[in-house]
Amino acid sequence: MRTCTDLTRLKGVGPRVAEKLARLRIHCVEDILFHFPFRYEDRTRIVPIGNLRVGDHAVIHGEVQLTEIKFGRRRMLITHLSDGTGMIVLRFFHFNAQQKAALARGVHMQCYGEVRKGQRQLEMIHPEYKYSEQQETLTDVEQALTPIYPTTEGLHQLTMRQLSEQALALLKQGKLKLAELLPEAILEENDLPELVASIEYIHRPPPDAPVNTLQDHEHVMQERFALEELIAHTCSLRLLRQKNREHSAHSISPSTKLEKEFIGNLPFSLTNAQQRVIEEIKSDLEKPAPMQRLVQGDVGSGKTMVAVCAALQAVEAGYQVAIMAPTEILAEQHYRNMQSWFSILGIEMAWLTGKLKTKQRRETLAAIESHEAQVIVGTHALFQDEVTFARLALVVIDEQHRFGVHQRLALREKGKAQDLYPHQLIMTATPIPRTLAMTVYADLDVSIINELPPGRKPVETVVIPDVRRNEIVQRVVKASEQGRQIYWVCSLIEESEALQCQAAEDTANLLAEALPDVRIGLVHGRLKPDQKELVMNKFKQHELDLLVATTVIEVGVDVPNASLMVIENAERFGLAQLHQLRGRVGRGSQDSACVLMYHGSLSQNAKQRLAVMRETNDGFLIAQKDLEIRGPGEVLGTRQTGEMQLMIADFFKHQHLLPTVNRWSDELVRNYPEQTERLIQRWVGENEQFASV
Ligand code: ADP
Ligand code: MG
């Protein structure tokens, strides 16, 4: 069905080149046409040397005035070139005697390169050049902007250009056919340019093309394909969702006893949003197909209650539930909280992380296999090979905002028994704008907890340079005197965990010296689990006033009495992470504050980010701002977007296309199955074609 013209039809493609092309996901001539340039060079006109500005990439033409070898720290060849409007220096570090001789005074040459600021005048370092006739003619320059392609080791830019040249020629001669896969209606509705014309334009833009728009991938000819590509990826995920509905799962009747009892024991009532989402989950669980539901709720919106109510449905119906948290600290916290609720209800729990001692581990594994344990909380260790569940029907994945499609699928396979898949409930506090969620989470059903428990006050946030550290330390003292608890978060530029931990240790020591009356604890990623647990529990019990920590406390930690947070080097964090961190305070009824301390002077971007934090506490708004300021890498986590290998589209630049993408993806999956299939083949790499899983 797929039109596929053999690559060997092109000059210069043998088995070795073909192998390299395969690394770029190019398997046939048609693929070359969908392998788009990522930037362009303008070699369509000769720029007078007098008009050059620093940073320009330009073609110049001139006469050599002088060529000499200079001996400085490095030997180099210097050529002075002039065209009557100005003079420029060409600088070569690699050269030979022949080259020096050829660049003699009076020789005419044409160069292409980046203009840089030299010591006394402008210069080009190692420009591309060729000798030319005295009178330059327009045929010396390119007729189109020069495309620069993404390439791979051992495959030259020039080769890529020659291959696309040949492919374009075949297209023009009608020897190669490209099918328009978007339905007529979508082309008309969005006024999209025609397929072949767009392909030609993108590969060889005419001299008058707006280079900057093209560089930014915002030209209408490019947007056409951005739309097509996003639709293809979204359709691929939608098909996955459809396929999922054909699988079987345990159908779980709603709880009549446990849930009521649990809610009755709570000191508060559930918010409307919590109740609504719980109902959505219950209705999923009743179905004989596996639930794949994502619950988005801002930090502190009470996602744990939702997870617990879901778990109770499964337990009452006689099944097991696995609850997975991203860190030991969080797993530990869930385990303790839930145990206090579940033991009253007579529910047996187990707790599994990678760091259990052999004997404990063996006992826990036995309890899971025998169904003695009904609710099992843990880290990724839950899904190692030696874990065998007796009757697993529900998997809850908490705060795994970097949990991509592949991992969701792998986990699902792991939990499968006798052709029955477990239901999956994924909870995230990384809110992303709805239209974006519909694309990147197109394989999931999404519920939103759009309401915080009553009485929450926004966290007052201030931004302060670290030269005013003393004031902040005084603030800590005051807070602790008032019986409040404080987090102090350290960070370092270094990625090294060891250094981060060292920094936290140093800070804790300094604070301890300065504040003899404040009880200080320290947690970081290098502590043993039981040490970590000890410190966290002491903080929870208010046996500690101040907790110095690395970002290990980023997600999930819940100590309502903590009402002041200090974040050092706040300028180094992304918005999503700052919001997560700040979410650790403002959980009780008292006023809370967050001090964002920064070092040195702030970049424009950092200034904007910290200002957003000061102005709002709303996670969805922050996510939207994050998208505007930095792009979605931050919002989604690189792994997640990294998974969708986009060729031309960009979630940030093409946000405005997302509503169209979502609407049409539904339409395509429903009414154009064949085109959908072919779109996915065209745009989505094999290991992302989940529907075949
Ligand atoms: P998150 O959504 O960030 O995981 P948690 O589940 O940790 O939030 O809940 C945050 C805090 O709010 C906890 O202390 C929890 O007991 C409390 N909480 C949850 N739901 C409610 C509610 N409906 N009313 C009052 N407090 C609630
Ligand atoms: Mg939570």
Side-chain angles (χ1 to χ4, degrees), residues 274-339:
Q274 283 170 319
Q275 290 176 32
R276 172 174 45 78
V277 173
I278 290 166
E279 286 312 313
E280 284 165 357
I281 292 168
K282 283 160 79 170
S283 126
D284 283 353
L285 292 177
E286 262 194 284
K287 293 184 187 129
M291 166 173 78
Q292 287 287 332
R293 186 168 288 278
L294 176 79
V295 174
Q296 281 193 290
D298 210 343
V299 284
S301 61
K303 291 184 290 297
T304 313
M305 293 299 140
V306 171
V308 167
C309 288
L312 292 176
Q313 315 298 320
V315 170
E316 187 168 320
Y319 297 103
Q320 281 177 309
V321 179
I323 300 177
M324 185 168 95
T327 63
E328 303 252 337
I329 289 185
L330 199 53
E332 170 72 23
Q333 175 183 287
H334 276 330
Y335 177 64
R336 295 202 172 266
N337 285 342
M338 290 180 192
Q339 206 170 35

Side-chain angles (χ1 to χ4, degrees), residues 336-518:
R336 295 202 172 266
N337 285 342
M338 290 180 192
Q339 206 170 35
S340 71
W341 301 320
F342 286 170
S343 59
I344 303 172
L345 304 174
I347 298 170
E348 284 300 326
M349 291 188 71
W351 135 260
L352 189 69
T353 73
K355 288 168 183 167
L356 283 188
K357 301 226 168 58
T358 320
K359 179 163 171 281
Q360 260 180 315
R361 183 177 181 75
R362 209 180 313 120
E363 286 169 9
T364 307
L365 290 174
I368 297 172
E369 193 162 359
S370 69
H371 202 166
E372 187 194 316
Q374 295 163 285
V375 177
I376 303 100
V377 179
T379 56
H380 284 78
L382 280 177
F383 294 93
Q384 285 162 355
D385 280 341
E386 66 265 39
V387 185
T388 313
F389 292 94
R391 232 176 155 223
L392 181 67
L394 171 65
V395 176
V396 179
I397 303 159
D398 190 21
E399 300 290 3
Q400 299 273 2
H401 51 278
R402 296 194 181 91
F403 207 68
V405 190
H406 283 293
Q407 285 146 310
R408 295 201 282 273
L409 286 174
L411 202 53
R412 191 181 76 176
E413 288 308 310
K414 173 73 187 122
K416 180 177 156 187
Q418 288 120 33
D419 283 333
L420 289 176
Y421 285 93
H423 299 280
Q424 278 190 7
L425 179 64
I426 299 144
M427 302 196 296
T428 172
T430 310
I432 63 174
R434 187 166 163 275
T435 46
L436 186 55
M438 286 175 71
T439 306
V440 293
Y441 299 134
D443 61 322
L444 302 172
D445 295 305
V446 178
S447 293
I448 298 178
I449 309 182
N450 55 353
E451 185 185 356
L452 292 179
R456 291 280 164 79
K457 296 192 194 127
V459 181
E460 184 219 324
T461 301
V462 291
V463 178
I464 292 182
D466 60 3
V467 289
R468 287 168 61 190
R469 200 185 176 90
N470 275 341
E471 286 169 45
I472 298 161
V473 172
Q474 287 318 308
R475 207 167 160 162
V476 167
V477 174
K478 216 161 131 202
S480 98
E481 281 169 4
Q482 293 166 347
R484 297 158 62 188
Q485 287 174 277
I486 307 111
Y487 293 103
W488 188 297
V489 181
C490 303
S491 82
L492 264 191
I493 305 181
E494 278 86 355
E495 280 297 297
S496 142
E497 204 194 350
L499 287 172
Q500 298 243 10
C501 299
Q502 187 59 49
E505 241 173 85
D506 294 347
T507 306
N509 289 336
L510 285 174
L511 287 170
E513 258 171 56
L515 311 172
D517 296 332
V518 178

Side-chain angles (χ1 to χ4, degrees), residues 155-390:
L155 204 57
H156 292 290
Q157 204 45 246
L158 201 63
T159 312
M160 294 302 294
R161 222 173 291 157
Q162 281 161 354
L163 294 178
S164 64
E165 195 69 46
Q166 294 181 60
L168 287 166
L170 290 175
L171 186 66
K172 232 180 218 134
Q173 293 156 15
K175 292 183 184 157
L176 201 66
K177 292 251 185 315
L178 290 184
E180 175 59 81
L181 299 178
L182 294 177
E184 192 65 34
I186 188 172
L187 298 171
E188 268 170 33
E189 178 198 283
N190 296 281
D191 219 359
L192 297 181
E194 193 260 327
L195 177 82
V196 170
S198 308
I199 290 269
E200 286 173 353
Y201 192 98
I202 293 175
H203 285 281
R204 297 293 181 272
D208 61 351
V211 186
N212 291 336
T213 313
L214 280 166
Q215 306 278 34
D216 291 341
H217 284 203
E218 283 170 349
H219 196 283
V220 59
M221 302 283 189
Q222 291 164 311
E223 285 195 347
R224 189 216 119 88
F225 290 113
L227 184 71
E228 197 177 311
E229 182 173 38
L230 288 170
I231 285 178
H233 280 270
T234 308
C235 284
S236 163
L237 289 174
R238 287 239 183 278
L239 283 182
L240 177 62
R241 181 161 77 168
Q242 228 173 45
K243 192 117 189 168
N244 183 56
R245 296 204 172 118
E246 293 160 16
H247 289 305
S248 307
H250 303 276
S251 157
I252 299 174
S253 334
S255 155
T256 53
K257 199 173 125 270
L258 292 177
E259 187 188 351
K260 229 182 259 154
E261 218 175 314
F262 167 69
I263 293 174
N265 290 341
L266 288 175
F268 47 73
S269 49
L270 297 180
T271 63
N272 288 331
Q274 283 170 319
Q275 290 176 32
R276 172 174 45 78
V277 173
I278 290 166
E279 286 312 313
E280 284 165 357
I281 292 168
K282 283 160 79 170
S283 126
D284 283 353
L285 292 177
E286 262 194 284
K287 293 184 187 129
M291 166 173 78
Q292 287 287 332
R293 186 168 288 278
L294 176 79
V295 174
Q296 281 193 290
D298 210 343
V299 284
S301 61
K303 291 184 290 297
T304 313
M305 293 299 140
V306 171
V308 167
C309 288
L312 292 176
Q313 315 298 320
V315 170
E316 187 168 320
Y319 297 103
Q320 281 177 309
V321 179
I323 300 177
M324 185 168 95
T327 63
E328 303 252 337
I329 289 185
L330 199 53
E332 170 72 23
Q333 175 183 287
H334 276 330
Y335 177 64
R336 295 202 172 266
N337 285 342
M338 290 180 192
Q339 206 170 35
S340 71
W341 301 320
F342 286 170
S343 59
I344 303 172
L345 304 174
I347 298 170
E348 284 300 326
M349 291 188 71
W351 135 260
L352 189 69
T353 73
K355 288 168 183 167
L356 283 188
K357 301 226 168 58
T358 320
K359 179 163 171 281
Q360 260 180 315
R361 183 177 181 75
R362 209 180 313 120
E363 286 169 9
T364 307
L365 290 174
I368 297 172
E369 193 162 359
S370 69
H371 202 166
E372 187 194 316
Q374 295 163 285
V375 177
I376 303 100
V377 179
T379 56
H380 284 78
L382 280 177
F383 294 93
Q384 285 162 355
D385 280 341
E386 66 265 39
V387 185
T388 313
F389 292 94

